[in-house]
Amino acid sequence: MRANIERTDKKRVVIVGGGLGGLELAFRLTKENFQVVLVDKNNYHQFPPLIYQVASAGLEPSSISFPFRRLFQGNRDFFFRMAEVQAVDTAEKAILTTIGTIHYDWLVLAAGATTNFFGNKAIEASTLPMKSVSEAMRLRNTILHNLERAETEEDPVRKQALMNVVVVGGGASGVEIAGAIAEMKKNVIQRDYPDLDASQMHIYLVNAGDRLLAAMDPVSSARAERDLKELHVHVRQPQFATAYEDSVLKTSAGLEIPAETVIWVSGICANRIEGLPKESIGHAGRILTDRFCRVKGLQDVYAIGDQSLIEGDPDYPLGHPQLAQVAMQQAKAVAANLAARMRGGEEKPFRYRNLGVMATIGRNHAVAEIGGRKFGGFPAWALWLIVHLRSILGVKNKAFILLNWLWNYINYKQSLRLILKAK
């Protein structure tokens, strides 16, 4: 099998992964004199910050997804190949993929991260992650299907397990999905499922840390916890999940929660790619790089985004946070450095500029830390909406999301709560 990409006299940059970092890099390199090859296992880009809204039936999957080929139509120096990367052959300067070998002059690894189950195979097999659009769709189907089953279930114990939802993980993803499901309980259940007692639906957030949103200031953590409790989310911390069997989640504090729906967002680990030097793999599988984002021990291979960990930055001795803005800023730095290398110029080290962090907890509730200011409530929520709407690709997608949000804000009477699955 051949990747079928003709070599030209232009330097070829191969990008593995079409997430926010990989896509930003591809956009910038196509404006330079490069041949750009983007490899991804999907044929579309997905917008991670809004995946939880797909999972909670707030948005359609197509609203936060955009096909790669549509983004680069008409660009003769850009090639997309849908494939999974199996290994890197640094001696041959090539990647081995499911569609064949693709050679590179420079390689940029931007394949992101996956859910970290911390080696617990039983939990991995029975809980629901939320890192991709397909996983969000599976989660949405499970929540809605369990509510349908609960309406006709006569055993009260079984009925309670079908209605309960447990979120494991107190980071931004956990807080946001817990808040979204709590809003669903508050505004949808009684109307869509009149034979269910909405007050009997319990949402638990199990967090191993001492506080929610550990990457933010304790003031923001406390506000997020207060907002979740106002939505009747049961926050259980500090305790971690130890087992999930027979539809019962057990925690380190001895708590046993009956639940058919357990959402696992308790950390991430970098996607592994074979062929890299062992000394270049660090904590949680992240690829170690220098301050130019070059992979440790290699010259023509870079790594950016959630998959990478920059060593030697005194401001971030444990690595930069695995956030979208880090990946996009690294992509800009690598694009500039590759252009400089091609012209024989000098490369510049990556310097991260923290633009702030935000998390939403439900309608009119969010926390934000921007420019040293910490605030919450409606202003933070409105700013969160604006920032994320601006980041969505495509005018049509922006319009659909804005209309969905407005309609949802007014009455929640939307038609997205469909159980769609392959037969």
Side-chain angles (χ1 to χ4, degrees):
M1 188 177 290
R2 298 173 61 247
N4 196 28
I5 305 173
E6 184 179 353
R7 291 300 295 256
T8 67
D9 58 350
K10 294 183 178 182
K11 292 287 187 180
R12 175 185 285 182
V13 181
V14 175
I15 305 169
V16 177
L20 290 167
L23 195 63
E24 178 70 23
L25 180 62
F27 279 137
R28 289 179 175 270
L29 292 181
T30 51
K31 297 176 183 178
E32 301 285 348
N33 195 31
F34 291 105
Q35 183 187 69
V36 180
V37 179
L38 176 62
V39 181
D40 196 285
K41 64 181 180 180
N42 299 310
N43 74 334
Y44 57 87
H45 166 77
Q46 51 194 355
F47 188 64
L50 294 183
I51 281 177
Y52 84 94
Q53 292 204 8
V54 174
S56 58
L59 290 174
E60 300 176 57
S62 59
S63 296
I64 67 165
S65 309
F66 212 85
F68 293 120
R69 294 185 182 279
R70 172 67 182 84
L71 293 169
F72 295 94
Q73 277 181 359
N75 192 319
R76 294 187 176 182
D77 290 322
F78 174 85
F79 297 85
F80 170 72
R81 292 296 181 264
M82 189 173 76
E84 292 191 37
V85 177
Q86 299 166 324
V88 177
D89 186 339
T90 54
E92 184 70 19
K93 295 191 71 171
I95 58 172
L96 311 179
T97 79
T98 50
I99 61 168
T101 300
I102 301 175
H103 288 84
Y104 62 82
D105 293 303
W106 291 304
L107 172 66
V108 183
L109 303 174
T114 188
T115 303
N116 191 349
F117 293 96
F118 304 99
N120 193 319
K121 296 297 182 183
I123 283 181
E124 182 177 356
S126 53
T127 61
L128 299 163
M130 194 184 65
K131 278 293 291 177
S132 65
V133 169
S134 58
E135 289 175 348
M137 285 295 295
R138 181 188 171 203
L139 175 52
R140 186 184 83 174
N141 287 341
T142 300
I143 293 171
L144 296 176
H145 184 60
N146 285 345
L147 289 173
E148 294 289 344
R149 292 166 61 198
E151 274 210 317
T152 58
E153 180 58 59
E154 296 181 356
D155 181 352
V157 175
R158 182 73 171 162
K159 190 184 194 80
Q160 187 64 68
L162 288 166
M163 293 184 68
N164 285 349
V165 176
V166 180
V167 180
V168 181
S173 295
V175 167
E176 289 175 343
I177 188 62
I181 296 173
E183 289 282 1
M184 179 189 291
K185 169 189 170 180
K186 178 181 176 182
N187 297 287
V188 173
I189 302 300
Q190 188 172 2
R191 187 165 57 204
D192 279 17
Y193 301 88
D195 295 324
L196 291 178
D197 181 358
S199 67
Q200 295 302 306
M201 181 180 184
H202 298 295
I203 301 157
Y204 296 85
L205 178 55
V206 177
N207 180 34
D210 294 325
R211 60 186 179 91
L212 303 176
L213 302 174
M216 300 182 76
D217 189 88
V219 172
S220 299
S221 298
R223 181 158 195 155
E225 183 176 351
R226 185 176 69 248
D227 288 345
L228 283 172
K229 287 181 177 179
E230 286 181 2
L231 288 169
H232 305 290
V233 174
H234 308 293
V235 179
R236 299 291 182 261
Q237 61 183 9
Q239 51 188 292
F240 55 89
T242 57
Y244 180 53
E245 52 191 17
D246 299 326
S247 300
V248 175
L249 182 84
K250 299 178 182 180
T251 76
S252 57
L255 184 66
E256 295 188 359
I257 309 171
E260 288 282 338
T261 306
V262 176
I263 305 167
W264 191 272
V265 284
S266 186
I268 58 176
C269 57
N271 282 312
R272 301 294 295 267
I273 296 179
E274 299 297 325
L276 298 177
K278 289 183 179 180
E279 61 270 19
S280 70
I281 306 300
H283 173 69
R286 294 174 75 176
I287 301 171
L288 302 177
T289 75
D290 62 16
R291 297 190 66 183
F292 298 88
C293 299
R294 295 180 299 224
V295 174
K296 188 173 184 177
L298 301 174
Q299 284 298 314
D300 298 322
V301 182
Y302 295 75
I304 63 173
D306 291 352
Q307 199 175 23
S308 73
L309 192 158
I310 294 178
E311 293 186 304
D313 190 327
D315 294 327
Y316 297 91
L318 300 178
H320 294 83
Q322 290 166 292
L323 299 173
Q325 59 177 302
V326 175
M328 296 178 73
Q329 289 181 36
Q330 287 177 338
K332 295 173 185 177
V334 169
N337 283 339
L338 287 176
R341 286 186 70 174
M342 183 177 62
R343 300 186 185 107
E346 183 181 356
E347 296 183 73
K348 296 181 180 179
F350 169 70
R351 290 184 176 86
Y352 173 52
R353 182 186 171 206
N354 188 348
L355 302 177
V357 288
M358 295 181 288
T360 182
I361 302 130
R363 178 158 42 172
N364 297 335
H365 294 286
V367 288
E369 297 177 5
I370 298 175
R373 292 188 58 217
K374 306 173 186 66
F375 57 102
F378 181 82
W381 181 75
L383 180 62
W384 185 94
L385 295 179
I386 293 168
V387 167
H388 287 81
L389 189 63
R390 287 185 59 192
S391 302
I392 289 292
L393 295 172
V395 175
K396 178 183 174 183
N397 283 7
K398 291 180 193 287
F400 279 0
I401 289 175
L402 179 59
L403 288 173
N404 262 330
W405 282 347
L406 290 173
W407 190 253
N408 200 35
Y409 187 81
I410 295 169
N411 62 14
Y412 270 91
K413 291 182 179 178
Q414 53 182 335
S415 57
L416 300 183
R417 291 183 289 277
L418 311 175
I419 300 174
L420 302 174
K421 53 187 178 181
K423 291 292 186 181

